[in-house]
């Protein structure tokens, strides 16, 4: 009990320091949550540069709004939510600029994939990153975050039927990519 | 079903994916945070300037609004108005003006229904030199029907109409009766309360403010701040300088060269000086009377500097700690009070000397500290905690800026300035100033004192 109280007290002090914009506290928060949040951002982008942009944009929002965080709830979950929303904003912003057909867009390779490693999270992540932005967003929001098609449609500004259609196509492409990886390693 | 299995598989693999921490990413993040903070400060500054400009604009528009403007068409002549400074008039003019011939004028009738209905007072102060000649009686008659609230008071005829405006209360009843009123007749009504410097036979229109103010019903004439008399025979003019107080509003911006003295009084450490730049923006309010002006206002200043690293070394059995200040940023508010004396005027240029003092208050300070911990008990080798202190937050451990006496200092300012008079309301000025700190223990843990050389550039408007 004492340990819980002590930890809570420590977190409150830490959050208070973040509110005061004390750099050491910001750095600690960044360091503590970096690994998980970078993973989230990588899922929503197709390369590590974009992922870092999303991550940093997200942390700017975190530091700006840290006073709105409700102590006692999960800080990581709160930050993750901000990261997902920032990823959606990033997608919307880039969608406006994109002129090419999303379905036929060139698939860019990722820097994360490591050909020597076993099929695992990195390869799956690479496969997700190779999806077109529209497919990737729908897949992430629906499958990983657990949004409904209605919510996905609202977030991305598309229709529900487009969301369903994109999800089906995303699954197909992911299955193809993962199958080819298995085949590659099998040989 | 197959889809569900696939989705679960992907979710399990990706939901909690973690990436190894990259310290270089924090450097980028920190850089971005600093950019954001600077951007925020700039936005605040820009918004402040915008608000000040808007206020200035509103003041200006308010002053130029044609309140009570006449609907009567402009007179059929165009007086050539040359705005002149009263001080620039050579004294022989005054002598000449005393010899101006009598101006014979017959009482002329003003159709009152054409006069403006408003009783608003004219607000334009104009020192004018009129060069037009009005010879024919036809023209004079036309002029005599000029609206009372003519802005440009440039001719004798127009001047003569001013008292009509001034005596509006008297005319009210007559207007109701739709009668016409002879101008000169009304002018003569105010002659009783005037001091004549120029002795026109009739009418006498030069008045000193002091006397005008004694009669309430003609007090509106004083709104002109005095007016001139111009003979209509191409002769010289006489300008009476009104001895009224003027309220002046100004805005300025200045680049600062800050001379930091640190530490100014610590006997153990040799004091050193460093030079750093900064900037200041502010507004001023002043009251001008004759050649003197007293001025106050509010200013915001920003400066940032890297003090000479003076390490605090503490040690325990296992650790050695080295701590020093890496960078200090100050956001400061100043409340200046100054006296200015206008010692010379050449054409449209006014030269003045200025001196005064200012109360300077640190609204917020950001202190970057470097802490090196070398020892067995700690893995941390280099930590850079940074914190902000000021009016609302303070570093209680260092007792830094936690009390008012640590937050402020008093400075004496001296300088001189040149003002370009654009017209009777607006002026632009440039003002080199030196500010020297007195009293106070000095700011920050190093007890720094700040002296400043500045170049004020700004604009002033007479309200």
């Amino acid at each position: 009990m004492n340990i819980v109280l002590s930890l809570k007290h420590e977190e409150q002090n830490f959050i208070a320091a973040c509110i005061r914009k004390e750099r050491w506290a910001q750095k600690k928060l960044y360091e503590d949550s970096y690994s998980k949040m970078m993973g989230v951002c990588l899922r929503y982008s197709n390369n590590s540069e974009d992922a870092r942009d999303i991550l940093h944009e997200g942390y700017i929002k975190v530091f700006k709004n840290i006073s709105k965080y409700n102590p006692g709830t999960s800080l990581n979950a709160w930050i993750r939510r901000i990261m997902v929303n920032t990823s959606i904003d990033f997608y919307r912003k880039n969608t406006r600029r994109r002129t090419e057909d999303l379905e036929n867009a060139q698939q860019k390779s990722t820097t994360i994939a490591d050909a020597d490693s076993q099929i695992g999270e990195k390869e799956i992540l690479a496969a997700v990153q190779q999806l077109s932005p529209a497919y990737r967003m729908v897949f992430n929001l629906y499958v990983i975050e657990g949004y409904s098609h209605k919510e996905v449609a609202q977030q991305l500004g598309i229709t529900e039927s487009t969301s369903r259609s994109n999800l089906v196509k995303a699954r197909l492409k992911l299955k193809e990519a993962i199958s080819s990886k298995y085949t590659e390693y099998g040989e | 079903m197959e889809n569900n299995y696939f989705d679960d598989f992907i979710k399990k693999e990706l939901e909690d994916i973690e990436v190894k921490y990259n310290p270089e990413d924090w450097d980028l993040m920190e850089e971005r945070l600093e950019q954001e903070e600077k951007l925020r400060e700039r936005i605040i500054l820009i918004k402040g300037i915008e608000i000040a400009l808007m206020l200035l604009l509103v003041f200006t528009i308010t002053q130029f609004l044609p309140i009570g403007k006449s609907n009567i068409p402009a007179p059929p002549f165009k007086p050539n108005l040359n705005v002149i400074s009263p001080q620039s008039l050579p004294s022989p003019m005054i002598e000449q003006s005393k010899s101006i011939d009598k101006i014979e004028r017959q009482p002329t009738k003003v159709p009152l229904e054409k006069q403006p209905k408003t009783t608003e007072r004219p607000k334009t102060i104009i020192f004018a030199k009129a060069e037009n000649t009005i010879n024919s009686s036809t023209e004079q008659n036309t002029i005599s029907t000029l609206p009372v609230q003519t802005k440009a008071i440039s001719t004798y005829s127009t001047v003569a109409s001013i008292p009509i405006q001034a005596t509006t209360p008297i005319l009210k009843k007559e207007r109701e009766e739709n009668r016409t009123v002879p101008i000169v007749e009304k002018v003569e009504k105010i002659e009783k309360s005037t001091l004549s410097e120029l002795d026109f036979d009739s009418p006498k229109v030069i008045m000193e403010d002091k006397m005008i103010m004694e009669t309430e019903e003609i007090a509106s004439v004083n709104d002109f701040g005095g007016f001139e008399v111009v003979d209509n025979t191409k002769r010289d003019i006489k300008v009476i300088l009104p001895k009224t107080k003027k309220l002046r509003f100004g805005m300025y911006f200045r680049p600062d060269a800050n001379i930091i003295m640190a530490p100014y009084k610590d006997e153990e450490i040799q004091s050193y000086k460093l030079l750093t730049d900064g900037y200041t923006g502010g507004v001023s309010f002043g009251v001008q009377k004759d050649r003197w002006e007293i001025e106050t206002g509010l200013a915001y200043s920003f400066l940032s500097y890297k003090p000479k690293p003076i390490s605090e070394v503490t040690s325990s059995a296992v650790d050695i700690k080295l701590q020093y200040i890496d960078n200090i940023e100050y956001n400061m508010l100043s409340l200046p009070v100054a006296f200015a004396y206008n010692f010379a005027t050449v054409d449209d240029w006014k030269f003045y000397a200025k001196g005064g003092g200012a109360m300077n208050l640190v609204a917020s300070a950001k202190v970057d500290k470097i802490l090196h911990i070398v020892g067995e008990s700690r893995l941390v080798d280099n930590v850079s905690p940074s914190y902000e202190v000021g009016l609302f937050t303070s570093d209680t451990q260092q007792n830094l800026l936690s009390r008012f006496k640590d937050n402020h200092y008093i400075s004496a300012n001296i300088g001189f300035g040149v003002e370009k008079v654009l017209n009777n309301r607006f002026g632009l000025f440039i003002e080199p100033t030196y500010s020297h700190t007195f009293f106070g223990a000095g700011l920050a843990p190093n007890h720094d004192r700040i002296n400043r050389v500045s170049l004020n550039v700004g604009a002033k408007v007479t309200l």
Side-chain angles (χ1 to χ4, degrees), chain A:
Chain A
M1 187 64 179
N2 286 340
I3 294 168
V4 173
L5 283 174
S6 173
L7 283 173
K8 196 177 175 184
H9 182 67
E10 193 179 328
E11 189 193 77
Q12 281 178 349
N13 283 343
F14 171 65
I15 297 296
C18 279
I19 292 170
R20 291 195 301 271
K21 294 186 170 59
E22 291 180 18
R23 195 67 91 225
W24 67 268
Q26 291 176 332
K27 187 180 182 184
K28 189 172 185 307
L29 180 66
Y30 183 87
E31 284 173 349
D32 288 353
S33 54
Y34 175 92
S35 299
K36 286 184 178 176
M37 298 312 144
M38 190 60 169
V40 173
C41 295
L42 281 168
R43 273 196 288 113
Y44 283 91
S45 59
N46 64 350
N47 59 58
S48 52
E49 291 298 314
D50 284 355
R52 194 183 294 115
D53 280 351
I54 295 170
L55 183 82
H56 287 175
E57 188 66 39
Y59 273 111
I60 295 283
K61 290 179 186 174
V62 167
F63 294 142
K64 203 178 276 182
N65 297 291
I66 190 76
S67 57
K68 293 175 187 168
Y69 163 67
N70 188 14
T73 59
S74 168
L75 181 59
N76 268 341
W78 183 75
I79 298 174
R80 183 194 168 105
R81 182 85 178 175
I82 289 177
M83 292 300 165
V84 171
N85 288 338
T86 307
S87 302
I88 292 169
D89 290 343
F90 188 83
Y91 164 76
R92 282 176 177 160
K93 196 164 69 179
N94 288 332
T95 304
R96 287 189 208 110
R97 293 177 193 161
R98 200 174 292 121
T99 52
E100 73 267 32
D101 183 1
L102 291 177
E103 271 192 62
N104 300 320
Q106 286 288 324
Q107 309 299 319
K108 291 180 182 174
S109 63
T110 175
T111 56
I112 296 297
D114 181 359
D116 295 332
S117 64
Q118 295 294 313
I119 289 290
E121 59 184 28
K122 284 187 180 178
E123 285 67 39
I124 296 170
L125 179 62
V128 170
Q129 287 186 316
Q130 283 176 356
L131 292 173
S132 72
Y135 295 170
R136 189 170 58 239
M137 289 304 294
V138 172
F139 186 83
N140 269 315
L141 291 175
Y142 185 86
V143 175
I144 315 285
E145 312 298 343
Y147 283 39
S148 68
H149 280 298
K150 190 179 178 183
E151 287 169 330
V152 172
Q154 281 176 348
Q155 291 287 337
L156 301 183
I158 56 176
T159 62
E160 283 185 52
S161 59
T162 306
S163 174
R164 284 197 182 86
S165 164
N166 283 355
L167 179 65
V168 170
K169 288 172 186 170
R171 277 193 192 120
L172 279 173
K173 288 206 175 276
L174 271 179
K175 281 175 186 174
E176 279 174 21
I178 291 169
S179 300
S180 66
K181 286 278 179 189
Y182 270 119
T183 310
E184 194 179 307
Y185 291 124
E187 289 170 357

Side-chain angles (χ1 to χ4, degrees), chain B residues 318-334:
Chain B
V318 288
D319 294 330
I320 297 174
K321 294 179 183 176
L322 299 165
Q323 182 173 284
Y324 60 88
I325 295 171
D326 183 49
N327 193 64
I328 297 178
E329 282 181 12
Y330 285 131
N331 294 286
M332 301 172 71
L333 294 173
S334 301

Side-chain angles (χ1 to χ4, degrees), chain B residues 141-174:
Chain B
N141 284 335
T142 310
I143 292 161
S144 68
T145 62
L146 281 173
V148 172
Q149 289 184 332
T150 305
K151 277 188 174 180
I153 306 154
S154 59
T155 68
Y156 183 84
S157 300
T158 314
V159 170
S161 69
I162 291 166
I164 297 252
Q165 167 64 24
T167 55
T168 301
I170 300 170
L171 294 177
K172 269 185 180 174
K173 193 179 176 184
E174 291 162 341

